[in-house]
Each structure stands twice: as C-alpha cells, then as structure tokens.
Amino acid sequence: MRIFIGILLAAILLSPLQQVRAIPFFDQLPKFKLRVQDDRELQDSLREEMEKLRKGSSALKSYDDPRDVARYERGTLEKLLRSRGYYDASVRLSVTDGEILYRVNPGPQYLIKSITIDMPGRLRRGFSGLPLQVGDPLVASKVLEGVKVIEKYLSDNACLLDIDVSYEAKVIHSEAAARLEYRVAPSPEVRVGEVRIEGLTSVEEDFLRGKLQIATGDCFSRNKIDAARLRLLRTNLIASANSEVSDPYGDLVDITFLLQERGHRTVKLGVGYTSDEGAGVSAGWEHRNVFHRGEKIEIESKVNPVQQSLEGKLLIPRFLHDKQNFSASVELSNEDRDTYTAESLTLGATVARKLSKHRTASVGTELKFSQVDEKVQEQPGTSRNENYRLLSFPLGLKWDTTDNPLDARRGATVAMEVKPYFDLSSSGSSFTKNTLVLTGYKTGTEMRYEPTLALRIKAGAISGASNFDIPADERFYAGGGGSVRGYGYQELGPRVLIAPRTPGDPPRLSDSIGGRGLSEISIEGRFRFSDTWGGVLFVDGGNAYADPQPDFSDLFWGAGIGVRYFTSFAPLRLDVAFPSTSARG
C-alpha cells in the first residue's frame, strides 16, 4: 500500500473547522414522483430541473415536514411551467408515506403572436434578427436570449453610451398567445476621449496601458472596458480594477481606470508525505514586480530524505512581443535513489509564445552539469561515476482548453516536448528525449455529486543512444505519485541481474535502472460531496522499457481511493493506493 499526501500549511491554518461537518453524503429530502398529463418529454424535463434545484436549495433543507417541502416545490413547478409558456397549468400534490406525488396538467403552451423591436432605424439596419419568431412557444430562456442578441449587436455595431434593452410580453389568455415587444432605451452615441490610469504606486503605467487596448477616438463600448479590466487583473499585479466614465462633452467621454495594486511579494511554506520518499518540506519566495513591469523572480527549495533542490526563476512578460514571455532558471539538485545518486547544476532559458487562445509554443536552451554515480551496471557488481555536461534545446507545443489548471473539470490538453541533448564532455554522445502527454476532463454538472471523469495518457521515447550511455537521471522511470500510484517512486522499469554476494545463492534482480521508453495511463472518477469536500476513485497503469518504443500492453496497475479538500486556490489531496502485483514479478 502506498500513501500520497499533498498539503499546504497555510490552508490548514486558514480553513474554517466548522466546514468539516458539512458533508452531505446522504440526501435527507423526501423522494418525489412527477406525472405530466400526455407529455412525457415535459415530464422528464421538469424532473431534471427539480432534481437540480433540490441539490442547490438551502431553503428546502430547512423543512422537516414533507408537506412543507411539497408546498414549496409546487410553487417552483408552477414557475417552471410559466417559464416554458404554460400559463394555464395546474399542479396537484399528495404526500403518502413521506413520498410526494406531483400531478401536472400543463394546458396549452402559449405561442408568440407578434414580435416588435423598438429601435432607431439607423440602428435597426443591419440587424440580422432574433433567435425566435412568430409561432414559436413563449419560452422565457429564448426571450432572454433575444435580449442578449440585441445587446451584442448594439455593442458591436454602435457607440451607445448606455445599452439598455428591455422586453414586455402581453399574454392573451383567450387565444393562448402573447405579443412580444423589445425596447432599446434612447442613448447618445459617443467616442473615447482621454484615457487615464490612477492609483498606481510601483507598476509602470505604460506597461498596463498596453493591456487596455482602448485609445482616444475609439468607438465607445462598455464591453471593451470590462475586457480591459479583466486583462489588468490577469497581470497578477492588480487587486482591484474599477472604471469611471465621464459625462459626455460634445461626442466624447473620458474613461478613468481606478486601480489598486496587490502585494507583490509572497512567502510559501508547504509539507507533504509519501510512503516511499518520507516526509518533505518546501519553502519559497516570489516578487511579481521586480523591475516595475510585471517581471517575476521566484526562489523555491524542497527537501526530503531522497531529494534536495534549490531553484531560482526569472519571468519577463511581453518579451519583444505582447504575446511572448521569457524565462530563465538556475537549479541545484541532489538525488539519492536506489540505483544512482546525482548532483547537478542546471541553467536554462526559454521563450514561450501564445499562438492562439489555446495554443502555446516554446523554444529554449539548457546546460546541465552533473555527476552521476550509477550503482547498477551491465556488468553485475560494478558501478560507474561519470561527469556530464549536457547541452539541450527543448522545443514544446501545448494545446489547452481546460477551465482550471489546478483543478480542471472540463476540457483537454495536449503537451509535446522534443529535447535533443549533446554531451560536451569527452564522450561526445547525443540523444533525443521525446514526451507526449494527453489529458481530458468531463463533468456531469447536472448529476448528483457532479462526477468528473479524468483521463491522462503519457508516452515517452529516447533515441540516439543505448540505455547505459544515457545518464541515469535522464532515463524514464514509472511509479509513485503523479505516475502509477500503488508503487514506489521510480520503482517500475527495466532491471538487470545482480551476482549473489554469497557463493551458491541465486542471482537477484536489481531495482529499476530506468529505460528509453515510457507508457502511463490514469483514469479517475472524482466526486464533490460539498463545496469543500470531495472524493476520488482511480486506476493507474504504467511501465518503463529498455527499448525506446512505448508499449501499453505490458503495464503494472495500481488502484485506490482518495479524499480532496477544496481551498480557494487548489485542492489538498490524500490518496491511498494498492499495487496489483509486485514490481519484481
């Protein structure tokens, strides 16, 4: 059994203890049945809406008597029916043995008899139309969608100081119909005059002006102002971004952005534990505005019985281009693994460019000085101590549509890296390390506990050199947290026979020596029991191979369960996993 825990100490100190008891594992509301006369489709739709509303209603959970619940939900059903155009619907209820039965007679669905749009003619020209027409049912969601369509059209094609679209539906009960009218409130059309930024103390103003994308003479648009505020907040330098629009003078208005800078320095402390590496601590410090234009310096140290590291990073945003970042790093590392020990100094620099909303490409260079003492060699009983000077040129491409990088619930990623290495020491060897990682997330937001199916596939291949000509700390290994839970860190991979220490004893297999091929797959089912607590069931498979071709048919499998505590920044995790078989066969 392997245990994997990830904890941030600050989160423990800040988390309210009273939330621990808010874990609704069992639904206490009475069961219900719903019958709609002569309309099975409407019946299923209303049932889904009722179940969704039950999950999020705090008022319902305050009722102990099923009859009180039934009366409350009858009002909800009547509102739902009206929102679908059933203005003559009736709902009867009965409560038997704590179970509620709702009988619905929907009556006729009201249809739209006429649609008018009260909009100045100069604005009406070019309007392509609404998402509903005469003869359609009077459905509230479609009516509201019409409001949004008109608002978007005006925002994209007019310079109105204020966009105010309202509607009125006049119901005609005798005809089971309605007249629908949209109204656009009068407003002057203006352009942007002066653009000001106030409230800055250390960030240079011209750096943030590049984020506004609003200039004097532009057509006025409140959507553009909202987008500019969002871009300012995403710099991670601004705590709040408000805006003020002056009264019109002539056909101009001035825009003032009122900003408040956030603290630019952060200290981080963390603790963690895995059953194969033991307890570990981490500490870090970062400054997000070193040279007053959003440049970030980050220093982080991690220590556990197996690995110790100290890393410094510098990030320069908008490097020679608005969508391009430059990063530089230096890292000191010491590893003491079962099959090797390694001390290294790594210097690196990378330029990353955002090609589109979801695609990012990167190119860089890295120089690594290392001393690797490999304890297991091709000839049993021998060891080798080598010094390496590896120069590499990593190339990366990433496609990312996930909704949250720290706790994704929907979307997918594809990340590929090609990393050629050249040894500048006397050996002069070279090899290329290739990795591909695919992830996907799908959440049933309408289902109980909002289950998320998460899938991760990773493949790797190293070409150009034999296994023992590649430094041990650059080969592929499998096992441990983030790989195959249930097995120890780097426990899986090719092994060699070791000669017996005592004559007459059989030879034994070494620990994993690492390989040139890697295959991993992980499937998780995640569940949210409340806003703060969740659980996970998972199955992981993986292996490393002496040959560079990944092989998904020869995997070691681990399975387990986990608990998640959701904080405002990322979930805290506790996983317990079991291997399917011994890594030594």
Side-chain angles (χ1 to χ4, degrees):
M1 178 183 73
R2 299 284 173 176
I3 301 174
F4 307 91
I5 302 177
I7 295 178
L8 286 176
L9 186 60
I12 296 178
L13 299 176
L14 296 175
S15 54
L17 297 178
Q18 62 268 28
Q19 291 180 338
V20 174
R21 57 188 180 87
I23 310 177
F25 289 101
F26 301 101
D27 196 339
Q28 301 299 320
L29 291 175
K31 294 182 179 179
F32 76 93
K33 293 182 180 179
L34 182 66
R35 300 285 183 265
V36 177
Q37 184 177 322
D38 301 329
D39 196 330
R40 183 61 179 270
E41 183 178 349
L42 178 60
Q43 176 178 296
D44 293 342
S45 175
L46 290 173
R47 182 184 292 110
E48 290 178 6
E49 286 289 336
M50 290 284 286
E51 291 173 348
K52 180 180 178 181
L53 291 170
R54 276 187 164 212
K55 182 173 61 175
S57 174
S58 58
L60 273 177
K61 295 174 183 177
S62 66
Y63 293 131
D64 295 325
D65 192 332
R67 290 170 294 183
D68 292 335
V69 174
R71 283 190 286 268
Y72 183 93
E73 288 188 328
R74 178 169 60 184
T76 300
L77 272 172
E78 290 170 346
K79 292 177 183 177
L80 287 173
L81 287 162
R82 286 195 296 273
S83 72
R84 286 166 167 75
Y86 297 98
Y87 286 86
D88 296 333
S90 62
V91 180
R92 292 183 298 152
L93 63 88
S94 61
V95 181
T96 306
D97 297 329
E99 184 174 280
I100 308 170
L101 173 62
Y102 299 102
R103 294 185 177 88
V104 178
N105 181 3
Q109 187 175 26
Y110 282 41
L111 304 180
I112 299 174
K113 186 174 183 178
S114 65
I115 301 177
T116 58
I117 302 176
D118 183 6
M119 183 191 305
R122 59 186 173 82
L123 298 178
R124 182 65 185 268
R125 290 188 296 271
F127 181 59
S128 59
L130 296 167
L132 69 174
Q133 57 188 355
V134 173
D136 287 349
L138 184 64
V139 178
S141 60
K142 285 289 185 180
V143 174
L144 293 174
E145 187 180 342
V147 172
K148 293 179 180 179
V149 168
I150 297 174
E151 288 176 342
K152 186 178 186 308
Y153 166 75
L154 295 175
S155 178
D156 294 341
N157 297 276
C159 306
L160 296 178
L161 179 61
D162 295 296
I163 297 177
D164 182 7
V165 180
S166 60
Y167 73 91
E168 182 179 10
K170 296 180 179 178
V171 176
I172 308 171
H173 290 281
S174 60
E175 302 178 23
R179 299 183 183 276
L180 181 61
E181 182 181 10
Y182 290 97
R183 301 190 184 101
V184 177
S187 176
E189 290 196 78
V190 294
R191 293 192 170 273
V192 177
E194 187 176 351
V195 180
R196 306 185 186 95
I197 295 179
E198 297 181 359
L200 295 179
T201 57
S202 63
V203 183
E204 292 186 8
E205 182 177 317
D206 64 326
F207 171 71
L208 294 182
R209 278 191 176 273
K211 303 290 184 182
L212 298 181
Q213 299 180 15
I214 298 175
T216 299
D218 287 353
C219 179
F220 179 82
S221 170
R222 293 191 184 272
N223 285 348
K224 290 183 179 179
I225 295 176
D226 292 339
R229 292 172 55 202
L230 182 59
R231 284 191 293 271
L232 291 171
L233 294 172
R234 283 178 174 171
T235 64
N236 210 23
L237 302 172
I238 305 299
S240 66
N242 298 313
S243 61
E244 290 182 352
V245 179
S246 72
D247 293 331
Y249 58 96
D251 62 345
L252 299 176
V253 291
D254 296 334
I255 303 173
T256 303
F257 289 91
L258 306 173
L259 309 182
Q260 180 181 353
E261 293 186 20
R262 63 174 298 184
H264 300 310
R265 298 171 180 82
T266 300
V267 175
K268 297 180 289 185
L269 297 173
V271 298
Y273 172 81
T274 65
S275 56
D276 45 24
E277 290 190 329
V281 297
S282 63
W285 173 87
E286 72 175 27
H287 192 311
R288 292 177 293 274
N289 191 38
V290 179
F291 307 119
H292 310 296
R293 299 179 66 84
E295 302 89 351
K296 182 171 75 171
I297 285 182
E298 183 177 6
I299 300 173
E300 185 172 13
S301 177
K302 297 179 181 179
V303 177
N304 63 45
V306 177
Q307 183 176 20
Q308 304 84 44
S309 66
L310 176 64
E311 183 178 16
K313 295 180 180 178
L314 169 66
L315 174 67
I316 300 178
R318 299 180 64 192
F319 179 73
L320 304 179
H321 191 279
D322 285 347
K323 296 183 178 181
Q324 195 163 268
N325 295 333
F326 170 81
S327 62
S329 64
V330 56
E331 180 181 14
L332 284 168
S333 176
N334 178 64
E335 293 183 84
D336 186 2
R337 305 294 178 185
D338 292 332
T339 54
Y340 70 87
T341 59
E343 298 178 356
S344 63
L345 168 64
T346 306
L347 308 172
T350 302
V351 175
R353 183 160 183 167
K354 200 169 185 63
L355 305 178
S356 66
K357 181 179 180 181
H358 301 299
R359 291 182 300 150
T360 303
S362 62
V363 59
T365 183
E366 183 180 279
L367 182 60
K368 180 178 180 180
F369 302 90
S370 63
Q371 179 178 331
V372 181
D373 183 8
E374 191 162 6
K375 304 172 185 177
V376 179
Q377 290 294 305
E378 291 174 295
Q379 298 298 321
T382 65
S383 65
R384 182 178 64 178
N385 188 298
E386 293 282 352
N387 292 317
Y388 297 95
R389 289 180 292 171
L390 296 178
L391 177 64
S392 63
F393 299 95
L395 304 172
L397 183 63
K398 185 174 183 180
W399 177 76
D400 188 349
T401 63
T402 55
D403 58 335
N404 185 335
L406 298 179
D407 183 25
R409 304 187 67 196
R410 59 185 60 84
T413 67
V414 178
M416 179 177 63
E417 184 181 57
V418 178
K419 198 170 185 180
Y421 284 88
F422 304 92
D423 191 354
L424 303 181
S425 60
S426 57
S427 71
S429 62
S430 63
F431 59 93
T432 302
K433 191 173 185 178
N434 309 284
T435 55
L436 175 66
V437 182
L438 311 175
T439 65
Y441 307 89
K442 180 67 175 179
T443 297
T445 55
E446 307 298 325
M447 301 173 64
R448 190 179 186 185
Y449 302 141
E450 299 182 9
T452 297
L453 178 64
L455 173 68
R456 183 182 70 90
I457 299 174
K458 182 177 181 180
I462 302 176
S463 60
S466 64
N467 212 35
F468 282 99
D469 288 333
I470 300 168
D473 60 341
E474 292 293 344
R475 298 177 201 148
F476 288 122
Y477 301 83
S483 177
V484 185
R485 288 163 287 187
Y487 294 91
Y489 182 75
Q490 295 190 349
E491 184 179 0
L492 302 177
R495 303 169 187 272
V496 297
L497 286 174
I498 299 179
R501 296 179 180 176
T502 304
D505 290 344
R508 61 187 179 88
L509 283 174
S510 70
D511 294 312
S512 172
I513 61 171
R516 294 183 294 160
L518 176 70
S519 301
E520 290 180 356
I521 183 170
S522 177
I523 302 174
E524 288 190 350
R526 305 172 183 175
F527 306 90
R528 285 180 177 255
F529 304 126
S530 71
D531 291 338
T532 52
W533 288 97
V536 60
L537 303 173
F538 59 85
V539 176
D540 296 339
N543 203 358
Y545 311 91
D547 294 329
Q549 291 79 18
D551 182 1
F552 283 90
S553 64
D554 183 22
L555 303 182
F556 290 89
W557 295 92
I561 60 175
V563 176
R564 301 290 183 266
Y565 179 80
F566 302 103
T567 69
S568 59
F569 47 90
L572 307 182
R573 304 183 299 172
L574 167 63
D575 291 338
V576 179
F578 301 86
S580 62
T581 184
S582 170
R584 295 180 182 271

